[in-house]
Structures are given as structure tokens and as C-alpha cells.
Amino acid sequence: MSPSVPLQEMIRAIRSARTQCEERGVIQRECAAIRAQFRQADNGGRSHNLAKLLYVHMLGYPAHFGQMECVRMIASPRYSEKRVGYLGAMMLLDEKQDASLLITNSIKNDLAHSNQYVQSLALCTLACMGSAEMCRDLAPEIDRLLRASNSYIKKKAALCAVHIVRKVHELGELFAPAARSLLSEKNHGVLHGAVVLIIELCERNPETLERFRKTVPDLVQIMKGLVLSGYSPEHDVAGISDPFLQVRILRLLRILGRNNEGASDAMNDLLAQVATNTDSTKTVGNAVLYETVLTVLDIKSESGLRVLAVNILGRFLLNNDRNIRYIAMTSLQKIVGTDHNAVQRHRGTIVDCLKDQDASVKRRALELSLALVSASNIRSMMKELLLFLSSCPPELRAHAASGIFNAAERYAPSQRWHIDTMLHVLITVNTDRATRPAALSHMGFSPSRLTSGCPSAQSLVQVACWCIGEYGDLLLRGDCQETEPVQVTEDDALDALETVLQSHMSSPATRGFALTATMKLSTRITDNVDRIRSIVSIYGSCIDVELQQRAVEYNALFKKYDHMRYAMKKSTCPVSDPVPVYDKGGVTLTLSCEKQSDTGLTVTLTASNATDSDISSFTLQAAVPKSVQLHMKAPSGDSLPARGTAKVTQMVVLNNPNKSLNTSFNHYHSSMLFPSQYLPVFCLQRLRSYCIFLKTV
């Protein structure tokens, strides 16, 4: 292929390549020919070759060797070469390359050129790739062009000034006076550039923002002219007069009116006029209305105007375009906290969006629906949310369940309703549609019925087991005040747990919950302790190591510390019955506790000596986890007289500010075996360590 072929010929040859290797070969041969011609002193086809090189660059192949040719062509007096040179500079050069500094002088000369199109080339290039150094050097020239009489140049200069302000913030003050004067122009292009420049200046300097607040009346007049003007073929887009300029002015008004009463009052009437006179049947009109809504909601607008803005967003929710529905719900989500009642009027439409096929719209509808839940609509909204939960996508299920739980806890009309709702959610998210009706039929019954109703829902069965073990005494008592009591016996509760333990559908973790719940019941029932001991002992030889270890530990509690079970069972008053904690070699140690607050407990340790000889240098030591604060007061003495003639007492003050569980034992075991109202373990050391659990009632 000859290096002098036209650009169209080269493009045709590249596109006709059947493989990437063949395409690469064509480009390499052409680039070699272009290099050879660049090295020639008198090259009449420089613009032709650089244009071909720019096409190669757009295909992703290296073209950096054309950078210096761009610099030479920019300095050319011929417009055709200068145009291609500036285009090449915008594509091949950036501020990080030293070659970009070589064109600074050429740009400065062209900014003073008599031809407006040459000036335009220099302005576009500086706005595209001008470095901070170039911006500092050429900023005075741009300020001069902002005051020129040519509207075409002023428009380009305004956009170039925006780039300079972004690169060098302190130069913004240089352009502020000229930007203010541009607002009196009639040319829409100049006005658009001026508004963009003012937005940039106001966002970067609070002092400049205060000065430009005086321009609000001027901006209002410009906007009114656009809204009320008749048909203008030069600026009309789908029946809207210059929507691009309208959107820019609305954004600037939003910045100027934010947190300012005076500026907001000056634009309230205009915003109401735009909101009522703009056609919402076209996408262009919706764009203007959306910017109007954002402005109304961001400034200190009147309450009636804010309601109008929310109603516009409500109409957006009915639009067939999913993108419009999405941005409407995004905006409503931001203002639901401040304009809750106004958003509530569109609750039905928002709930209907939960059925949308688009996943992003459905997620936004869920978030907004959860935000609309209140004490007055909790029942109706919960029905809709539970219906959505039963068919929502898996990726939204966790978020929906969490939101429903939070709303139910916050606005529950009754405790019974709260519990029913939580059970409904647990059943819905943990069972498939086939077993869900059977599970729901047991909603009003005891946890044991719920367990047997859906054995395939492992998480739900685990919750039910925990409830049976934790609140077994209340279950057996059956004195619920809000519904008909269900008579459950000790055998019923144990039968349910045994069913879980023996079911082939139960996972090892579920069996662990059931075994721990069975052990908990030993402190909550009176007649079936032997049966519990028998159940626990069976699993001491279980093949599952975790379950076997748990059973062995529970058997140890039965054998070594069985006397503590009844003390814990009776400890239901602020001042407990003394508990024996040590009895060996004639030395007896008892403990009694008294609750001082929700997190504090005072423990009295009493030691006596039943032997025939005195014990001297007697001390009591205590250790607690890091989460518990310990303060030991001075003992009544350091010797124990023989034959129990006198006793030694010592006060210990325990504080559990975080109500955390004991961490010195296996956390999983302790959290399942002992509920949160039990104070963490503290160790009493005399001849050996001894651990007990204390209950703060």
C-alpha cells in the first residue's frame, strides 16, 4: 500500500483485514511510511499523514511519534494544517507531557488572531488539555476574550474559563466580573457558558457565592423568558424552549438559594410557574421538571411548593419509563424524612412498584416502602411487605426481612402482633412455598407445634428450640393474656425436642440447639429431670464430635454441680437464698447476692471452719472476664476459728455494663445454655478454682 493513499483507502484496507495479525501488518507498514514522510524537510502532505495517524490512534495503536508533528502544524500559518494540528494535540498530548508546553506560545498567538475560527481552535485545545502552567500563562487572554464583542468567541472563552478554574482555583476571582456581565447577553450559547462558569465559581468559593446571590433576579427573568416565550425554531426541542439552558439555570438557582431565605423567596414564584407550565408528556419536559423538583426540595421553599414538587415525583412513578420511576423514588427516598406526610400520599403507587420487573426499581421501592411505615399504617403496610417478601428475589430477601423486623419492633401495636409478624417472616424466608402453608397454620400455637410443623426449615427449627429451652417455664404455664392459652405439658416439650434430635432431616447444628434446649429445661421443669438426664447421656457417645462434647459437658453438670440447679431455679427475687459453693476439708464457703441495678450486683461471701484447729492467713480471691468490673471490699478478718465459732465475710461488687456473656467458657455453649440475664462467671479461688453462674433478676 502506497504511503500517499487517501485516508479512505487506508480505512478500507484496515477493515478488509481478515485477522488481527493482517490488520496489524497493514498499520505497521502505513506508520513506517508516515514516519519517513515526517522526517522529510519539505512535506506537502503533513495534514494528510497526521489525519491517518489520528485514525490509527483511535484504533488503539501507538501514535506518540506524531506529537512533534502536531506542534509544527499548530505553528503553521495555513488554517487547514493548523486545524489538524490542534486536533492532534487534543488527542495525542496531555498536561503530563513536556511537548504540551511547546504549544503555549502558539496558542497565545492564535488567541489574538483576527480569524474567529483560529481563535476557536486555540480555545478548544486549551480547554481540553491545558495544564496548570498553561492556564496561569493564558488566563489574562481568556479574560480579555470574555469581554469581546463576538458572541461565538465569548461562548468558547466561557467554557475555557471553566477548565482554568478547575485547574487553578485561585484564578476564579479573575473571571467573576466578566461572568457577571455575560448574563446580560441575548445569545443562548453565551448565556449557557456564563451559567456553567458561575456554577463553577460559586461551588469553589463561598465569598463568590454570596456575591452572585445578587444575580437571582436576573436569572429569574431569563428563565421566565424561556418559559413564556413562543415557538423559536432555533432553540425549540420537542416544544420546550432551550431545555439545556433551563436545566443549567435551575441548577444555578439551586446553589444560590440553598440555606438562604432571601434568594429562595425571590425564586419561589418562578419555580411554581415552571412546575405548572412545563409539558410532562415528553422526555425533555420531564428533564426540566426533575431539575425544578430538585431545586424546590433543596432551597428554603414554601410548604405548598414542596408538596407540588412531591406530587410531580408521584406522577413520575406512573411513567412507563423505568428510568424515570427510578429517579423519582431515589428523590423521594431523600426527602421522606422531612416531607413524610407529602410522600405518604403516594404510598399506594410506591407499593405497586414492588411488583415491577426491574430489579433496581424494585429495590428502590422496597427501601421507600420501609421508610413510609409508621404507627398509623403499620398493619396495612406490613401486609404488603409480607406479600412482597413471599415472592421477592433472593438478593432482596435479607434486606426485606431486616427492614420488616425493624419496623415491627418500632411500631408494633401489640406484643402478640409483634411475635406473629416475626414468626411469619421466619417461616417465609426459611421454608419453600410447598411447606409454607403448613408452617403458617401453626403460627398461633406453641414453639413445639411450630417445630413439628416444618422440620425442613433448619433455621426456623433452631429458633423454635431456643424458645422452648429459654422460655419453657412460660410455655408450660400457658398464661398468655392476648390469645387463648394452649395447654403444653413437660412431656410435650421434651417430645418436640426429641423429635428434632432423632429426625434424619435435622442438621448437626440443629441437633446441638435441641440438646442445649433440653438441658435448659432441667432448670425450668420439676418432674422430668431424669428423662432429660437420660436424653443427654445417650448423646455422650454420638458420632458427631461437637454433639458428643456438648453431651459430655452437660453430663458433668448433672454429676458435679447438680446442687446449683435448684438454687438457680429459686433465684427469682432481688435477694437470693445462700448458695454453697465450696465444702471440703471442713471449710465451707457460701455465697449470697443482691441486685443493685440492671448491671450491678453485690455478692457476700461467707466462710466457716468446722475443723478442730484454726486456719490462719485465710484469703479469698476472685477473677472475672474483662467485660465485668470487679471491686473486692476488705474482709472481716484473715483467720477462721475452729468448730465454726466465727465466720469471715467479704463483700464483692460486680458490674456488667455491657451485659455481655462470659467469654472464658465456650461462647456457643454458654450463650445457648445461659440467657443474657445471667451475670458472667466469676472465679473464687481458695484451695482450687470454682466457677458458678449468678443470675441478675
Side-chain angles (χ1 to χ4, degrees):
M1 182 175 61
S2 172
S4 60
V5 298
L7 175 63
Q8 293 82 356
E9 292 276 341
M10 186 189 76
I11 294 174
R12 190 176 299 112
I14 292 174
R15 288 183 175 178
S16 63
R18 289 172 292 182
T19 64
Q20 187 176 5
C21 181
E22 185 178 346
E23 176 189 289
R24 190 161 49 245
V26 173
I27 291 176
Q28 287 176 350
R29 290 193 299 271
E30 183 63 22
C31 287
I34 293 174
R35 282 195 188 94
Q37 292 199 2
F38 280 169
R39 287 194 291 266
Q40 296 178 7
D42 186 13
N43 180 9
R46 290 190 302 176
S47 60
H48 172 76
N49 287 321
L50 184 58
K52 292 194 289 184
L53 187 62
L54 294 180
Y55 180 76
V56 170
H57 171 73
M58 288 190 293
L59 293 179
Y61 291 92
H64 58 278
F65 59 89
Q67 293 174 352
M68 293 308 300
E69 190 67 14
C70 294
V71 175
R72 287 192 287 268
M73 292 183 67
I74 287 174
S76 172
R78 300 175 60 182
Y79 177 77
S80 59
E81 292 186 351
K82 191 182 289 290
R83 181 180 62 179
V84 178
Y86 273 123
L87 177 61
M90 286 187 280
M91 295 180 64
L92 302 180
L93 297 178
D94 58 47
E95 60 182 70
K96 298 179 181 179
Q97 297 169 347
D98 296 336
S100 63
L101 298 177
L102 300 177
I103 66 174
T104 302
N105 193 54
S106 297
I107 292 178
K108 184 174 183 180
N109 293 333
D110 288 340
L111 289 175
H113 202 278
S114 58
N115 189 322
Q116 65 174 355
Y117 298 109
V118 174
Q119 290 178 308
S120 173
L121 290 175
L123 287 169
C124 290
T125 303
L126 180 60
C128 178
M129 47 76 64
S131 63
E133 292 79 5
M134 295 173 64
C135 291
R136 290 189 179 93
D137 293 339
L138 300 175
E141 298 296 324
I142 304 303
D143 181 57
R144 177 180 62 81
L145 293 177
L146 284 172
R147 306 172 190 275
S149 58
N150 190 325
S151 298
Y152 178 77
I153 295 300
K154 284 194 285 190
K155 175 183 67 175
K156 300 282 186 178
L159 298 179
C160 185
V162 172
H163 174 78
I164 293 176
V165 172
R166 290 173 180 171
K167 283 292 179 182
V168 189
H169 304 329
E170 58 269 21
L171 290 177
E173 289 297 317
L174 175 66
F175 301 120
R180 173 67 180 84
S181 64
L182 290 179
L183 292 178
S184 60
E185 293 285 331
K186 301 299 182 183
N187 184 278
H188 284 209
V190 177
L191 284 174
H192 191 277
V195 172
V196 174
L197 177 57
I198 294 173
I199 289 175
E200 198 69 31
L201 295 173
C202 292
E203 286 181 338
R204 297 184 180 277
N205 192 327
E207 296 179 359
T208 305
L209 172 62
E210 288 298 325
R211 291 204 300 270
F212 273 103
R213 282 203 168 107
K214 300 176 182 178
T215 65
V216 170
D218 298 332
L219 294 170
V220 169
Q221 290 302 317
I222 295 172
M223 190 67 185
K224 281 185 177 180
L226 294 172
V227 174
L228 301 177
S229 65
Y231 174 74
S232 173
E234 184 181 359
H235 305 117
D236 184 84
V237 179
I240 305 296
S241 178
D242 203 341
F244 304 100
L245 180 56
Q246 288 195 42
V247 166
R248 289 292 184 181
I249 293 176
L250 287 169
R251 290 181 183 177
L252 178 56
L253 290 174
R254 181 159 72 246
I255 295 172
L256 298 176
R258 187 179 298 140
N259 300 323
N260 188 277
E261 293 279 358
S264 299
D265 290 340
M267 62 183 77
N268 273 331
D269 292 341
L270 168 70
L271 295 174
Q273 200 170 28
V274 175
T276 54
N277 293 340
T278 302
D279 183 12
S280 61
T281 60
K282 302 290 181 61
T283 302
V284 176
N286 287 330
V288 175
L289 285 174
Y290 181 63
E291 288 296 332
T292 304
V293 168
L294 295 182
T295 303
V296 169
L297 298 177
D298 208 22
I299 67 173
K300 293 183 175 297
S301 54
E302 299 172 350
S303 59
L305 191 57
R306 297 182 71 87
V307 172
L308 177 60
V310 174
N311 291 339
I312 292 175
L313 294 177
R315 292 202 303 271
F316 283 177
L317 294 175
L318 301 173
N319 199 291
N320 293 328
D321 191 331
R322 291 175 178 172
N323 294 324
I324 295 179
R325 294 203 300 272
Y326 180 84
I327 63 173
M329 281 186 287
T330 302
S331 302
L332 290 172
Q333 179 73 23
K334 295 178 181 178
I335 64 170
V336 68
T338 55
D339 297 272
H340 192 270
N341 292 333
V343 180
Q344 279 283 1
R345 297 189 182 98
H346 306 280
R347 189 177 69 206
T349 308
I350 294 170
V351 171
D352 287 340
C353 290
L354 291 171
K355 305 172 186 176
D356 198 284
Q357 297 300 317
D358 188 86
S360 57
V361 173
K362 189 174 296 188
R363 180 181 292 274
R364 279 283 183 248
L366 172 62
E367 294 173 352
L368 189 53
S369 297
L370 291 172
L372 287 176
V373 177
S374 63
S376 60
N377 63 22
I378 181 65
R379 293 183 182 272
S380 59
M381 284 296 293
M382 200 56 66
K383 289 180 181 178
E384 299 289 347
L385 291 170
L386 290 174
L387 182 63
F388 169 76
L389 181 64
S390 64
S391 60
C392 75
E395 62 271 14
L396 291 180
R397 187 168 298 167
H399 181 52
S402 177
I404 291 174
F405 274 139
N406 292 335
E409 182 177 1
R410 185 175 181 181
Y411 301 111
S414 65
Q415 186 177 11
R416 174 65 184 179
W417 183 92
H418 187 193
I419 295 173
D420 284 348
T421 301
M422 290 193 297
L423 288 175
H424 195 146
V425 173
L426 289 172
I427 292 171
T428 302
V429 300
N430 285 287
T431 58
D432 55 25
R433 295 188 180 183
T435 60
R436 196 172 294 160
L440 287 172
S441 66
H442 296 277
M443 282 277 299
F445 297 89
S446 67
S448 61
R449 295 286 301 277
L450 183 61
T451 303
S452 60
C454 49
S456 61
Q458 295 298 297
S459 299
L460 188 61
V461 174
Q462 292 171 10
V463 171
C465 291
W466 186 90
C467 291
I468 294 174
E470 194 69 36
Y471 306 108
D473 52 340
L474 302 179
L475 178 65
L476 298 175
R477 203 178 304 164
D479 55 353
C480 179
Q481 298 178 359
E482 299 186 21
T483 187
E484 295 182 6
V486 178
Q487 185 61 43
V488 179
T489 65
E490 294 181 2
D491 287 329
D492 292 335
L494 292 175
D495 287 343
L497 295 175
E498 273 199 286
T499 300
V500 175
L501 285 168
Q502 297 171 3
S503 173
H504 69 281
M505 302 180 68
S506 298
S507 65
T510 302
R511 287 192 175 94
F513 273 81
L515 186 63
T516 301
T518 304
M519 185 63 185
K520 285 183 182 180
L521 286 180
S522 67
T523 64
R524 291 158 171 74
I525 65 178
T526 57
D527 299 331
N528 285 276
V529 176
D530 292 337
R531 181 182 175 185
I532 293 175
R533 185 183 290 108
S534 176
I535 294 173
V536 171
S537 63
I538 292 174
Y539 290 90
S541 57
C542 180
I543 192 172
D544 183 84
V545 177
E546 172 70 18
L547 204 60
Q548 180 188 114
Q549 178 183 349
R550 191 170 303 189
V552 170
E553 292 174 353
Y554 294 164
N555 277 321
L557 290 177
F558 271 119
K559 294 177 181 178
K560 295 184 179 180
Y561 310 117
D562 200 57
H563 61 280
M564 295 170 51
R565 181 184 327 281
Y566 302 100
M568 293 174 62
K569 196 180 301 183
K570 296 176 183 177
S571 181
T572 57
C573 59
V575 180
S576 63
D577 305 328
V579 180
V581 295
Y582 183 80
D583 187 1
K584 187 175 181 181
V587 177
T588 302
L589 182 65
T590 61
L591 175 150
S592 61
C593 57
E594 180 178 357
K595 180 181 178 183
Q596 301 297 328
S597 64
D598 289 340
T599 60
L601 188 72
T602 299
V603 178
T604 302
L605 303 174
T606 305
S608 62
N609 177 18
T611 64
D612 295 332
S613 58
D614 296 341
I615 298 178
S616 60
S617 301
F618 179 82
T619 60
L620 289 172
Q621 297 179 354
V624 295
K626 294 181 180 179
S627 58
V628 178
Q629 300 171 359
L630 169 70
H631 175 64
M632 297 190 70
K633 298 185 178 181
S636 60
D638 61 354
S639 63
L640 283 176
R643 293 182 291 277
T645 55
K647 298 180 180 180
V648 173
T649 60
Q650 186 169 5
M651 300 287 290
V652 179
V653 179
L654 298 175
N655 188 28
N656 184 22
N658 298 323
K659 298 185 179 179
S660 58
L661 290 169
N662 172 44
T663 57
S664 62
F665 284 85
N666 182 297
H667 176 74
Y668 187 77
H669 291 177
S670 62
S671 62
M672 289 302 298
L673 182 59
F674 297 98
S676 59
Q677 64 261 35
Y678 285 89
L679 196 67
V681 166
F682 70 93
C683 302
L684 303 175
Q685 296 181 345
R686 174 60 177 89
L687 301 177
R688 61 185 178 87
S689 299
Y690 194 85
C691 301
I692 63 171
F693 281 86
L694 298 179
K695 180 178 181 182
T696 56
V697 182

